[in-house]
């Protein structure tokens, strides 16, 4: 992939859940592009369609209509996938969700290692890479613990390491820092930014954390399935009304 | 990276319990097979061990095991006179249940034709065959009698001179070997009062017919034992065993014997068939059916276990799919666990079985071919029963990670 093509390009994306009375339009003609090496925030109220957009781009949840390109390649034409979804996901996309979703019977290191081995890395290389990431994320000493022995924040950092392990072209994160304290939360966001810069990856992060907004190159706001670009500074932290 | 082993290690206690349960179930399947073998072995043991070419029985009967057969002891001498016959000995067999040392004692009483047959062919593990024509017995270990122990049967007392191993009758009772005359004495033991009454009855009958007045000597004979009175049937055997001279043509001898209208002739193989198709057959089919049901139940239980294990991992499998894991990896996880479960269950079944089965009251015989067959069946149901789990796993969508 060359720098000239966008990491993500989304054209007039629509997603309708259900039909008739229960119909919900989760995405209503979303269009945007994200350059390689760029990190963007996706903001918006609950139920706006942020996760729906992320999973459509992430080849997890096909849209109803519209087109999705990743690295210049058409991946969704309407609900039809234009690539081998599994291989594509494995090679090009890293995911982080609100929950860590670690495999409970594998140690922290094995969770990351497995992701690398699935992608063809030798066990030795995979182990090395996993430890590298753990060092950086400050969880190296927990590498051989099972997930249930880790705190929520530690688990989430393992999940981040797993998403970054294969050096993906695209990182999709859905409220990744919800379980972290502000220091670790910020650290993860900065790591994403660094990965965007160094690997030329596109990074799209759904977040409610307005304190980290300065990390992002751009931010998008989604309301009722419609997407609009916002200037980072414009999205000032909204103070909650005082408790009566 | 092997996921199956890591998953098992993580849920070790549950896995072990599951395997234990499955092992017990498989042990029962193994035991059923063993009981089946034991039944056949017990039933045919005597026929196989007693070295006879022909079993001569009462005309038109399929005795002496499948039904009652009665032949006179004199038949022995008639048979010995046939060309090609090397020997003939009476087969006397009946089961008695008496009391010994205050406990019930069930004995399969076998008569040996003294002096031709002293029981040298018996698998004697302690002591010796019979050495005297009376009051000696060779007993099976199963009867719990010690060497030299004296057992009162009827009016006489018999001494255990030898012990055999694994000589049991069709019903699983231990056998004891006596001379034919002792065996008959045990069988026909009549209380003194009954004998006195019978003799009195003979005297009355003789008086009524007027025999006594014309031939008073007969009255004296009426007081003699039954065997010495002419025209009273002598004691009878169940069958006469015939062994042929080396080189004699069995078919020729059989043809001669079949010409005799008071007896029927069965070969040893024929006798074996009679046993298996006759009295043992129903029990055999019963056990066979039961085993089939048990195998089916094992398969269903295993399928359920594997399905539940898969359900527990829906989220993890969705994550694996999201990570781009190939289906073979997920399939491997399930099938490997199934096979591990089957193999360990089989091992447990085997070890519990070989410890437990010898403690059963009747013989449970586990033979190698049955073990191999069971192994194949276990492997088959392991793979078959994972199908349900595999189908579930394949239907899991990566987006279930989000739920
Ligand atoms: N599987 C589904 N079936 C039906 N409706 C759905 C489904 N998933 C989401 N929706 C609906 O689509 C809309 C957008 O949901 P989505 O999860 O994308 O919102 P979101 O912006 O991620 O919200 P949040 O910030 O709470 O995570 C919501 O109204 C939701 O109820
Ligand atoms: Mg969401």
């Amino acid at each position: 992939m060359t720098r000239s093509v966008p990491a993500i390009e989304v054209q007039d994306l629509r997603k309708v859940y259900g039909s008739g009375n229960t119909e919900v339009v989760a995405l209503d003609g979303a269009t945007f592009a994200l350059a390689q090496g760029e990190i963007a925030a996706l903001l918006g109220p609950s139920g706006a369609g942020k996760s729906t957009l992320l999973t459509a781009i992430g080849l997890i949840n096909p849209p109803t209509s519209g087109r999705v390109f990743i690295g210049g390649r058409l991946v969704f034409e309407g609900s039809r996938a234009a690539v081998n979804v599994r291989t594509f996901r494995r090679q090009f996309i890293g995911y982080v969700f609100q929950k860590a979703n670690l495999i409970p019977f594998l140690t922290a290191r094995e969770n990351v290692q497995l992701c690398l081995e699935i992608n063809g890395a030798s066990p030795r290389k995979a182990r090395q890479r996993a430890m590298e990431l753990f060092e950086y994320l400050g969880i190296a000493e927990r590498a051989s613990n099972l997930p249930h022995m880790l705190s929520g924040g530690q688990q989430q950092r393992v999940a981040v390491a797993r998403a970054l392990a294969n050096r993906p072209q695209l990182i999709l994160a859905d409220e990744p820092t919800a379980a972290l304290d502000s220091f670790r939360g910020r650290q993860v966001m900065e790591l994403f930014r660094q990965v965007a810069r160094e690997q030329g990856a596109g990074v799209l992060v759904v977040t409610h954390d307005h304190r980290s907004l300065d990390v992002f190159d751009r931010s998008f706001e989604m309301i009722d399935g419609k997407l609009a670009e916002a200037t980072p500074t414009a999205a000032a932290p909204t103070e909650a009304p005082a408790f009566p | 990276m092997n996921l199956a082993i890591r998953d098992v290690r993580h849920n070790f206690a549950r896995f072990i319990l599951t395997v234990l349960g499955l092992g017990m179930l498989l042990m029962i399947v193994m035991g059923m097979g063993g009981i089946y073998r034991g039944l056949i072995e017990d039933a045919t043991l005597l026929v196989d061990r007693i070295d006879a070419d022909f079993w001569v029985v009462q005309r038109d009967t399929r005795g002496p095991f499948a039904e009652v057969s009665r032949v006179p002891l004199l038949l022995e001498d008639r048979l010995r006179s046939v060309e090609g016959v090397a020997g003939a000995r009476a087969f006397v067999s009946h089961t008695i249940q008496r009391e010994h040392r205050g406990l019930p004692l069930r004995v399969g009483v076998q008569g040996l034709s003294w002096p031709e047959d002293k029981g040298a062919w018996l698998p004697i593990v302690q002591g010796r065959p019979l050495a005297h024509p009376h009051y000696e017995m060779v007993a099976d270990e199963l009867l719990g009698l010690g060497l030299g122990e004296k057992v009162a049967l009827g009016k006489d007392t018999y001494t255990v001179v030898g012990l055999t191993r694994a000589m049991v009758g069709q019903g699983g009772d231990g056998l004891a070997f006596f001379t034919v005359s002792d065996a008959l004495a045990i069988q026909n033991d009549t209380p003194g009062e009954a004998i006195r009454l019978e003799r009195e009855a003979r005297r009355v009958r003789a008086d009524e017919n007027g025999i006594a007045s014309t031939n008073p000597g007969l009255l004296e004979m009426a007081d003699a034992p039954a065997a010495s009175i002419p025209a009273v049937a002598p004691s009878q055997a169940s069958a006469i065993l015939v062994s042929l001279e080396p080189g004699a043509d069995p078919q020729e001898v059989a043809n001669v014997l079949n010409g005799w209208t008071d007896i029927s002739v069965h070969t040893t193989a024929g006798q074996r068939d009679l046993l298996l198709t006759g009295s043992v057959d129903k029990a055999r089919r019963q056990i066979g059916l039961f085993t089939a049901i048990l195998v089916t139940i094992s398969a269903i239980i295993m399928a359920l276990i594997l399905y539940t294990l898969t359900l527990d991992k829906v989220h993890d499998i969705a994550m694996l799919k999201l990570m781009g894991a190939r289906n073979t990896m997920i399939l491997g996880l399930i099938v490997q666990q199934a096979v591990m479960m089957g193999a360990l269950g089989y091992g447990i079944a085997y070890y519990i079985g070989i410890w437990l089965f010898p403690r059963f009251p009747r013989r449970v015989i586990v033979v190698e071919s049955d073990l191999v067959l069971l192994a194949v069946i276990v492997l088959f149901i392991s793979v078959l029963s994972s199908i349900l789990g595999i189908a579930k796993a394949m239907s899991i969508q990566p987006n279930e990670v989000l739920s």
Side-chain angles (χ1 to χ4, degrees):
Chain A
M1 289 184 199
T2 58
R3 287 242 165 183
S4 56
V5 292
I8 310 173
E9 192 176 347
V10 168
Q11 294 175 353
D12 196 22
L13 212 57
R14 277 176 62 81
K15 175 73 184 185
V16 182
Y17 289 113
S19 59
N21 273 350
T22 61
E23 190 177 281
V24 175
V25 181
L27 288 179
D28 193 3
T31 299
F32 81 101
L34 187 71
Q36 293 181 29
E38 215 173 21
I39 178 166
L42 186 56
L43 306 165
S46 179
K50 304 182 295 293
S51 298
T52 305
L53 178 63
L54 217 65
T55 51
I57 297 169
L59 282 81
I60 298 176
N61 194 4
T64 311
S65 67
R67 298 205 284 183
V68 178
F69 297 85
I70 293 176
R73 270 174 76 181
L74 177 68
V75 295
F76 271 134
E77 168 95 68
S79 60
R80 196 183 63 81
V83 291
N84 180 330
V85 173
R86 191 179 60 215
T87 323
F88 202 88
R89 274 200 305 253
R90 184 170 75 214
Q91 290 175 346
F92 298 116
I93 308 178
Y95 305 88
V96 188
F97 302 102
Q98 193 170 347
K99 281 192 296 174
N101 297 314
L102 301 178
I103 311 279
F105 51 86
L106 300 182
T107 64
R109 197 195 65 230
E110 285 168 345
N111 262 282
V112 178
Q113 217 176 313
L114 177 65
C115 197
L116 285 151
E117 284 181 23
I118 285 175
N119 219 4
S122 73
R124 201 181 55 81
K125 279 250 171 63
R127 193 188 170 103
Q128 214 174 352
R129 169 94 177 124
M131 287 316 291
E132 238 171 64
L133 287 160
F134 281 4
E135 295 287 352
Y136 185 87
L137 289 163
I139 43 171
E141 75 280 8
R142 315 310 303 264
S144 38
N145 286 15
L146 287 171
H148 72 88
M149 301 170 181
L150 303 177
S151 74
Q154 288 168 333
Q155 288 182 26
Q156 192 63 343
R157 278 179 275 162
V158 176
V160 169
R162 181 174 64 187
L164 300 181
N166 284 315
R167 298 193 169 84
Q169 293 296 307
L170 184 59
I171 293 164
L172 301 171
D174 198 343
E175 301 181 40
T177 58
L180 301 180
D181 61 56
S182 56
F183 171 72
R184 290 290 181 195
R186 189 169 178 89
Q187 196 193 18
V188 166
M189 296 299 191
E190 276 170 359
L191 176 62
F192 283 154
R193 183 190 169 90
Q194 192 186 343
V195 170
R197 293 288 183 273
E198 289 173 6
Q199 295 174 23
V203 182
L204 185 59
V205 183
V206 174
T207 182
H208 290 294
D209 184 3
H210 288 260
R211 283 166 302 181
S212 310
L213 281 184
D214 58 301
V215 173
F216 297 95
D217 300 318
R218 304 162 67 189
S219 57
F220 297 95
E221 175 120 40
M222 178 158 259
I223 295 170
D224 286 344
K226 291 193 166 57
L227 195 66
E229 180 141 13
T231 50
T233 44
T238 45
E239 291 297 328
F243 197 70
Chain B
M1 190 179 298
N2 186 300
L3 299 179
I5 288 177
R6 285 175 169 79
D7 184 31
V8 165
R9 222 164 36 196
H10 186 235
N11 289 309
F12 197 64
R14 183 174 72 175
F15 182 79
I16 288 299
L17 276 178
T18 312
V19 164
L20 260 178
L22 189 69
M24 299 283 205
L25 205 60
L26 291 177
M27 180 203 72
I28 297 176
V29 175
M30 206 179 268
M32 283 319 248
I35 289 174
Y36 172 81
R37 290 276 169 207
L39 199 77
I40 292 179
E41 175 85 14
D42 286 357
T44 56
L45 186 119
L46 257 182
V47 176
D48 288 343
R49 288 279 170 86
I50 290 181
D51 184 29
D53 294 303
F54 288 127
W55 290 68
V56 177
V57 299
Q58 184 180 336
R59 184 76 187 177
D60 291 337
T61 69
R62 275 148 192 75
F65 302 107
E67 61 176 314
V68 170
S69 154
R70 289 256 153 255
V71 290
L73 285 171
L74 274 176
L75 184 58
E76 257 184 38
D77 297 326
R78 281 168 64 201
L79 287 165
R80 284 191 194 112
S81 68
V82 175
E83 196 171 326
V85 171
R89 52 209 160 98
F91 179 79
V92 174
S93 171
H94 53 270
T95 302
I96 56 169
Q97 179 163 338
R98 302 286 160 86
E99 200 153 288
H100 180 61
R101 283 182 292 180
L103 292 170
L105 180 68
R106 263 183 86 79
V107 185
V109 174
Q110 302 294 316
L112 300 175
S113 269
W114 182 270
E116 293 84 20
D117 185 359
K118 299 184 172 80
W121 52 273
L122 292 169
I124 292 177
V125 290
Q126 236 187 31
R128 54 167 175 84
L130 301 181
H132 296 101
H134 283 298
Y135 313 130
E136 283 189 352
M137 65 191 276
V138 175
D140 191 73
E141 286 177 327
L142 199 69
L143 294 170
L145 301 172
L147 209 58
E149 188 162 350
K150 295 195 176 346
V151 186
L153 298 169
K155 284 191 269 301
D156 298 311
T157 301
Y158 301 85
T159 308
V160 178
V161 297
L163 291 176
T164 59
R165 180 158 298 162
M167 289 301 285
V168 298
Q170 219 179 327
D173 304 311
L175 298 179
F177 300 83
F178 304 78
T179 60
V180 164
S181 52
D182 281 357
L184 288 171
I186 293 167
Q187 184 182 12
N188 300 323
D189 172 40
T190 326
E193 179 63 8
I195 294 173
R196 272 191 292 282
L197 288 173
E198 167 59 19
R199 287 179 185 167
E200 200 47 48
R202 286 181 204 149
R203 196 183 291 279
V204 172
R205 281 201 298 275
D207 271 344
E208 280 172 353
N209 303 343
I211 295 174
S213 48
T214 54
N215 197 349
L218 274 179
L219 277 183
E220 232 138 282
M221 281 178 95
D223 285 338
S228 64
I229 304 175
V232 172
S235 309
Q236 306 216 299
S238 308
I240 307 290
L241 307 173
V242 170
S243 44
L244 299 180
E245 273 165 359
D249 179 10
Q251 193 51 52
E252 227 159 79
V253 177
N255 285 343
V256 172
L257 298 185
N258 278 324
W260 298 6
T261 50
D262 60 335
I263 54 155
S264 289
V265 181
H266 301 297
T267 59
T268 296
Q271 192 60 257
R272 216 169 179 278
D273 284 350
L274 282 179
L275 269 170
L276 295 184
T277 56
S279 45
V280 184
D281 185 53
K282 279 204 185 74
R284 193 164 79 151
R285 274 185 294 169
Q286 174 118 337
I287 292 175
L289 262 176
F290 211 76
T291 311
I293 291 171
L294 273 174
V295 169
T296 314
I297 292 174
S298 310
I300 291 173
I301 289 182
M302 232 176 132
L304 275 177
I305 292 171
L306 290 166
Y307 185 69
T308 326
L309 285 181
T310 311
L311 278 190
D312 280 355
K313 285 197 281 285
V314 165
H315 197 258
D316 308 327
I317 290 171
M319 191 63 219
L320 286 171
K321 289 191 170 185
L322 192 65
M323 279 155 56
R326 272 165 291 271
N327 282 342
T328 48
M329 185 178 219
I330 294 156
L331 206 130
L333 171 65
I334 296 170
V335 173
Q336 282 169 27
Q337 280 187 358
V339 171
M340 257 196 276
M341 221 172 255
L344 282 174
Y346 181 84
I348 286 173
Y350 179 77
Y351 283 105
I352 296 184
I354 56 172
W355 176 80
L356 193 64
F357 294 158
R359 289 163 168 76
F360 275 44
R362 284 197 65 169
R363 287 203 296 165
V364 180
I365 300 172
V366 180
V367 297
E368 204 158 297
S369 63
D370 285 357
L371 285 175
V372 172
L373 182 68
L374 184 64
V376 172
I377 290 174
V378 168
L379 190 71
F380 180 71
I381 61 174
S382 302
V383 174
L384 188 80
S385 57
S386 31
I387 287 175
L388 209 61
I390 290 170
K392 175 66 197 168
M394 291 302 118
S395 74
I396 294 171
Q397 295 298 315
N399 62 14
E400 286 176 57
V401 170
L402 305 173
S403 54

